[in-house]
Structure formats: structure tokens, C-alpha cells
Amino acid sequence: MRVIRIGRSSQNDFPINDPYVGRFHCQIMQHDNGQYTLSDLGSSNGTYVNGIRVSGQTVLNPNDVVRIGNTTLPWRMYFESGSGGGWQNPSYQPNPAYTPTPERGRNWFVVFYLILSLIGAVFTAVFQIITTVEAAELLDYFGIASPFITFLFMAVGSILMIVGSILLLAWRKSGYWLNFAGSALWLVMSIWLLIFAVNFYSERLTIIAICTISSAIATPLILWAILQISKNGVRCWKWLR
């Protein structure tokens, strides 16, 4: 039995220079009885035989057309040629009815930023919760619950950002919108806190409110800018599911 792996990585037996192909996309086995079988290796865009997406191990007939990404594979010639040779990048005319998406890659700078965002959101949530408890002491002095309620909602915003950062690391677009919602909650509550701090001449609360307003505005903007960084010629934003 002979097995060949096909994908975008140079570590494959037959590398394919196609951004819509996974690093290790599929494999084809030639069995001792002369039968060929095809298996997808968990690719994002899938493997197609005669236009039908395959799952599991699929038997290949001599005239079957195998397509991955935007490439049609001369799969029998792979076994006959014995090496990549001129078959590494066969030409292919895309089918208008088929719209693949670029294989999701991992730009490590973006991943590093998302990890930092998650760590920052965790620390911020802890800080907001502690501050909420401290703000409760102001009730006796000011006779008003505004600081406590404000910090409580800001803590909720931080928790939303924690969940959003986790989802972004899983490459889900909902993670960005949760970060955006958390920042919006921060912004509204910090503006209210600033008004309260100015009215009661609280320098400490004023500084906290101004810093939080700046962070609430900058966080989604910086995150959006980071997601514009490309991988395989495609912006990270496009990879989000």
C-alpha cells in the first residue's frame, strides 16, 4: 500500500500552491489490490469528488475528478510520476458555482495580541469587581448607589470582553462583537461615572473614568485594525466564522 499526502505545506508528498488548500488537505492511498481511496484530513474547504464533498474514506474510480480549493488534481499521475515534478501546480478554471474561502491560517502576531487581550480583560474584570466592592463604601458617604451600579456594569462589560477574546481565539466573529458590546458598556458607564465624579469633586473617580473612556474607544478600534493583518494574502477578519 502506498500513501501520498497533498496540501499547501512543503512537507506533503505533493505540495499545492493554492491559498484555498489546507496545509495538510487530503491523502490518497493506493492499496495492494490496485484500488485507490481518498480521505480528507479535516480541511476547512473540504475535498470534492465529481463535485460532491466527501467524508470519510472514499473509493476513487479511474475517471473521477478530485478537486481541492481551486485546483483539480491529476491524482493518478501522482502515483505514476513518482515525484511532484510538473504536477505540483496543475491549472484549474474555478467553477462559478463554487466559492471557497481561504484556508484559515494563524498569523502569530494576531494570535499573540488576542492572548494579551484575553489576559488584559481578565485583569480588568478582577479590578472592576474589586473596585465595585470598594465603591459600595461610598454609599454611606454620598447616600447614592451610582458608583456601585456603574462599576458593577463595567465588570459585566469586562466579562463580555473575556468571553469575546476566547471566541476570537477560536476564530469566531461573534467574539469581536462581544468585545465591541463590552467596550460600549464601558463607554456608557464611564461617561456616567465621569459626570458623577465631577459633581462630587472626586479626583480619583475622575481619573478612572477618563482612562476607561479612552480604553473603551481604543479597544474595538485597535482590535479591528489588528484583524486587518493578512495571512496568505487574506485579512484575518475574513477568516472569522
Side-chain angles (χ1 to χ4, degrees):
M1 183 176 66
R2 183 184 172 195
V3 180
I4 61 171
R5 287 192 307 178
I6 305 167
R8 202 177 63 249
S9 172
S10 60
Q11 299 177 25
N12 289 282
D13 300 298
F14 287 85
I16 300 293
N17 185 20
D18 183 338
Y20 300 98
V21 170
R23 293 185 67 248
F24 299 97
H25 198 105
C26 64
Q27 67 179 23
I28 300 177
M29 290 186 288
Q30 182 184 34
H31 298 268
D32 294 335
N33 60 2
Q35 187 181 63
Y36 295 92
T37 57
L38 168 72
S39 301
D40 185 84
L41 299 178
S43 65
S44 296
N45 288 320
T47 302
Y48 293 78
V49 175
N50 302 325
I52 300 174
R53 186 165 183 166
V54 301
S55 60
Q57 194 174 78
T58 302
V59 176
L60 290 176
N61 297 311
N63 296 323
D64 284 343
V65 178
V66 177
R67 186 187 69 224
I68 60 175
N70 269 350
T71 303
T72 298
L73 304 178
W75 57 273
R76 294 192 69 188
M77 297 179 183
Y78 286 157
F79 289 94
E80 295 168 3
S81 64
S83 62
W87 305 108
Q88 289 189 4
N89 297 303
S91 60
Y92 170 66
Q93 296 297 325
N95 183 349
Y98 171 67
T99 307
T101 56
E103 178 70 14
R104 291 182 180 87
R106 290 284 182 171
N107 184 299
W108 291 109
F109 176 78
V110 176
V111 173
F112 177 69
Y113 177 83
L114 294 179
I115 293 173
L116 288 182
S117 297
L118 175 59
I119 295 173
V122 170
F123 276 102
T124 303
V126 172
F127 170 78
Q128 295 292 356
I129 292 171
I130 293 174
T131 308
T132 301
V133 175
E134 290 181 351
E137 299 176 0
L138 296 174
L139 294 175
D140 294 334
Y141 182 76
F142 292 114
I144 187 169
S146 293
F148 177 80
I149 295 174
T150 301
F151 281 116
L152 181 61
F153 274 101
M154 289 169 71
V156 172
S158 298
I159 293 172
L160 287 178
M161 295 175 74
I162 291 173
V163 177
S165 297
I166 293 173
L167 289 175
L168 276 175
L169 284 170
W171 240 231
R172 301 209 174 262
K173 189 173 290 187
S174 57
Y176 176 82
W177 296 116
L178 275 179
N179 270 277
F180 185 86
S183 296
L185 191 56
W186 269 20
L187 183 60
V188 173
M189 291 297 102
S190 56
I191 290 175
W192 173 250
L193 181 63
L194 179 61
I195 295 172
F196 175 86
V198 170
N199 287 337
F200 286 92
Y201 305 102
S202 175
E203 182 178 353
R204 180 187 177 192
L205 289 181
T206 300
I207 294 174
I208 292 175
I210 293 175
C211 291
T212 308
I213 289 173
S214 302
S215 178
I217 295 173
T219 296
L221 293 177
I222 294 174
L223 181 57
W224 180 86
I226 290 293
L227 290 172
Q228 304 312 303
I229 296 175
S230 297
K231 172 78 173 184
N232 300 329
V234 182
R235 291 177 300 162
C236 292
W237 178 263
K238 294 291 185 180
W239 305 335
L240 300 179
R241 296 188 293 271

